Amino acid sequence: MIRILIFLLGILLFASGVTYFASLDSRFTGEVFGYHFDGPSGLIIGGAFALLLITIYLTHKIKDIMGLPARIKARDAETKRTRGVAALTRGLEAVAVGDGEDAAHHARVARRLLDDVAVTRLLSAQAAQLSGDTKAAQEGFSAMLEAPETEFLGLQGLYAQAMKTDDRDAARGYAERAFRLRPNADWAYHSVFELGLERGAWGDTRIALERAEKNKLVEGAHAQRGKAALLTADAYAVHSIDRQAALSELETALKFAPGFAPAALLAARLYADDSKIGKASKIIETAFSEAPHPALIKQYDRLYKDENNEKRASKLRKLADKAPISDEAILLQARAENLVENWADAVQKLEPLLSNAPTAAAFSLMATAIAGLHGGPSAQVWLEHAANAPRDPRPGADGDFNLTREGWARLVREYMDFGRLAPPPIEALETGLSIDEVRLLAAPPVVEPEILDEQPADETGDTELQVDDANEGGVEAENDVVASGGPEQDDNDEENQEENLASTAEDAERAIKASREVS
């Protein structure tokens, strides 16, 4: 509609101009290059304007004719580029589905049709990689390092090639170079991080983690836990050589994660060696309130091993109050009651724990309490339970974190990602006793009444009674021998009883030895 209006307006203006010029009565008279002219002014002006339009039109057409070869060439180039891009797209699709032969074919077509060498190099290298041509892939990715726009992609390809051939040193070099080039590249960060953990380079790995945190590749809480674990791993590696450096790293780690048990344990131990018991106990109390752990309990008890039992029990109760609803707090309270010989209170506190999922430490504490209440033989069954109880699967449950390099790497990953020292066990361990079983085993032993021999009423019938008793005894002895199969059978029974007693004694000795190791 707008175009129609413009066309009509143009016609109207043209007609108005022609009418105006035709209505002019004046005349133009002049001489140009010896030619004399005289005519109506309207006709001369209209003719000049028409000549100008014709000149413009012819100039434009001549320009189009002269530029025709260039346009034809550009059109051919565009057609070639379109075909090259289509081949490149199909080649990338083939790479995505893992078809190396098809990817190599389209890479050759794209390289022939496209002038962009960098793009075709990437496809050619990836196609060679899929086809198993390691040398061609290596050359292709290496050539990409020469151009700044493809350097990062070339490093990624070379890293993949190095990892495929298990060349860890070369892979680490490519990953670190890529991470320096693009600090916000997720694959480069994870590659540097994982390779650093593999070789135990805790300091370099922590630096990579800090750079990733600055570039928002790792969340704040994850980064804090990761730095705490890496600092602790490095402190365990150097504490026997440089105590001050280890303490500095541990203090920084505890700022990031106050409840990280390995850091708190080693820091408390180093401060205790320097006779700084107050600072060591404060570190353990803070860590225990965040995440109770058996290693913290054992180290805390060692801090006050030279004190009397009443003070040790008071300290253990104080630590238990930091995490009162935890299983470790129950163990602390029971241990405190055993120290002050409140055996019944210790049994009462251990009953709920023993009916849930007790550990060897809980059974051992129960054995101590029962021995105090009813004597050593009554504790034997609890010592057997302690010897047969499953080991606590948590790292450091035995009181120390003696981890290998691979163990520290696993702990760093687990604590950084999930805030725990180890993954949960695959199978649940059903070792708990029912409340009735606990109370039955904790009950005092049954005492059998002694049978007293009756004395004769008078001394006059002693001879007769003795004779009668002798006769009866002889008859009974004969009957016993016959019933039991003779003297040989009695000897066999005595030997069996001795073997049973010896076996029971050996079992008790093994159980007591196991309970000592646990405690």
Side-chain angles (χ1 to χ4, degrees):
M1 184 67 182
I2 296 176
R3 291 181 180 180
I4 295 175
L5 292 175
I6 293 174
F7 177 73
L8 295 176
L9 182 61
I11 292 176
L12 180 62
L13 290 175
F14 178 76
S16 300
V18 171
T19 303
Y20 172 75
F21 287 124
S23 62
L24 293 176
D25 295 335
S26 60
R27 299 179 66 84
F28 277 152
T29 302
E31 184 176 351
V32 177
F33 300 113
Y35 291 98
H36 179 78
F37 61 89
D38 183 10
S41 58
L43 180 61
I44 293 175
I45 293 174
F49 183 72
L51 181 62
L52 177 62
L53 292 178
I54 293 172
T55 302
I56 293 174
Y57 176 77
L58 292 176
T59 303
H60 187 269
K61 288 298 181 181
I62 292 172
K63 182 179 178 181
D64 288 344
I65 294 173
M66 294 180 64
L68 183 61
R71 288 200 303 274
I72 294 174
K73 185 178 181 180
R75 187 181 62 185
D76 293 341
E78 182 64 23
T79 302
K80 184 179 178 181
R81 180 175 178 80
T82 301
R83 292 173 58 196
V85 171
L88 182 65
T89 303
R90 294 189 183 96
L92 293 175
E93 290 177 354
V95 170
V97 299
D99 189 348
E101 184 178 353
D102 193 37
H105 168 70
H106 290 296
R108 290 191 296 270
V109 174
R111 188 166 56 250
R112 187 178 66 252
L113 296 177
L114 294 177
D115 296 330
D116 192 349
V117 180
V119 176
T120 56
R121 276 179 180 173
L122 173 61
L123 180 58
S124 300
Q126 289 180 334
Q129 190 177 42
L130 285 175
S131 301
D133 191 349
T134 305
K135 183 178 179 181
Q138 188 81 13
E139 292 176 354
F141 288 125
S142 299
M144 294 173 65
L145 302 181
E146 300 173 0
E149 61 271 14
T150 59
E151 181 181 3
F152 181 77
L153 295 175
L155 290 171
Q156 187 175 14
L158 291 172
Y159 168 79
Q161 284 290 109
M163 290 297 292
K164 188 176 181 180
T165 58
D166 200 25
D167 189 352
R168 299 285 175 170
D169 293 335
R172 177 168 59 88
Y174 296 135
E176 290 177 351
R177 181 176 171 183
F179 193 43
R180 287 193 299 269
L181 190 64
R182 299 280 181 87
N184 59 344
D186 188 68
W187 76 264
Y189 154 66
H190 279 99
S191 301
V192 173
F193 186 84
E194 290 297 328
L195 291 174
L197 290 181
E198 283 186 8
R199 71 180 193 279
W202 316 121
D204 294 344
T205 307
R206 178 169 52 85
I207 293 174
L209 177 59
E210 291 173 350
R211 291 186 64 190
E213 183 184 12
K214 290 180 181 178
N215 288 277
K216 309 299 182 183
L217 294 177
V218 184
E219 296 180 1
H222 287 199
Q224 300 293 317
R225 292 197 299 266
K227 287 187 287 186
L230 289 167
L231 285 166
T232 303
D234 196 46
Y236 270 84
V238 304
H239 78 277
S240 59
I241 303 172
D242 192 344
R243 290 169 55 87
Q244 292 303 319
L247 272 174
S248 176
E249 289 181 326
L250 291 170
E251 289 176 352
T252 305
L254 290 172
K255 290 179 182 178
F256 291 136
F260 191 44
L265 178 66
L266 183 57
R269 185 174 298 168
L270 294 178
Y271 280 124
D273 292 342
D274 296 336
S275 300
K276 298 179 180 179
I277 304 300
K279 195 165 187 177
S281 63
K282 185 177 180 181
I283 289 174
I284 293 179
E285 289 169 4
T286 302
F288 191 84
S289 64
E290 295 282 339
H293 193 276
L296 300 177
I297 296 177
K298 294 184 179 181
Q299 181 60 34
Y300 194 80
D301 195 24
R302 293 192 195 103
L303 297 178
Y304 303 101
K305 62 182 179 179
D306 296 330
E307 304 291 342
N308 57 54
N309 288 345
E310 287 75 12
K311 185 171 181 180
R312 288 178 63 190
S314 175
K315 292 294 184 180
L316 292 179
R317 292 191 185 99
K318 178 182 177 182
L319 182 61
D321 291 339
K322 299 295 182 180
I325 62 174
S326 63
D327 292 344
E328 286 76 11
I330 297 176
L331 294 176
L332 282 169
Q333 294 168 358
R335 190 179 185 88
E337 300 300 339
N338 282 342
L339 286 174
V340 295
E341 299 183 0
N342 289 336
W343 314 118
D345 291 342
V347 171
Q348 184 180 4
K349 293 182 182 299
L350 287 170
E351 281 183 358
L353 185 59
L354 292 171
S355 62
N356 184 15
T359 60
F363 283 121
S364 181
L365 289 172
M366 191 66 168
T368 303
I370 294 299
L373 278 175
H374 310 307
S378 300
Q380 180 179 349
V381 64
W382 296 107
L383 294 175
E384 292 176 356
H385 277 293
N388 296 324
R391 184 181 180 274
D392 192 331
R394 289 175 292 181
D398 57 351
D400 204 353
F401 289 87
N402 296 315
L403 304 180
T404 62
R405 183 178 63 186
E406 292 78 9
W408 276 112
R410 291 173 58 185
L411 189 145
V412 168
R413 295 188 191 97
E414 195 69 24
Y415 189 72
M416 177 178 171
D417 293 337
F418 305 104
R420 61 196 181 196
L421 301 182
I426 298 176
E427 296 182 356
L429 300 176
E430 300 293 340
T431 61
L433 305 174
S434 66
I435 291 293
D436 293 337
E437 288 176 329
V438 172
R439 292 175 180 174
L440 179 62
L441 295 175
V446 178
V447 179
E448 296 182 358
E450 297 182 358
I451 301 176
L452 300 177
D453 294 336
E454 295 183 358
Q455 298 296 329
D458 50 42
E459 297 179 355
T460 58
D462 288 343
T463 304
E464 295 178 359
L465 289 173
Q466 291 174 2
V467 173
D468 293 339
D469 291 341
N471 292 334
E472 292 176 359
V475 174
E476 290 177 357
E478 286 184 25
N479 293 335
D480 292 340
V481 170
V482 173
S484 61
E488 295 180 358
Q489 183 67 29
D490 292 340
D491 293 339
N492 292 334
D493 292 341
E494 290 177 0
E495 291 178 359
N496 291 335
Q497 290 177 0
E498 291 177 0
E499 292 178 358
N500 292 334
L501 290 174
S503 177
T504 303
E506 291 177 359
D507 292 341
E509 184 178 354
R510 286 196 300 269
I512 292 172
K513 184 178 179 181
S515 65
R516 288 175 180 171
E517 292 177 355
V518 171
S519 60

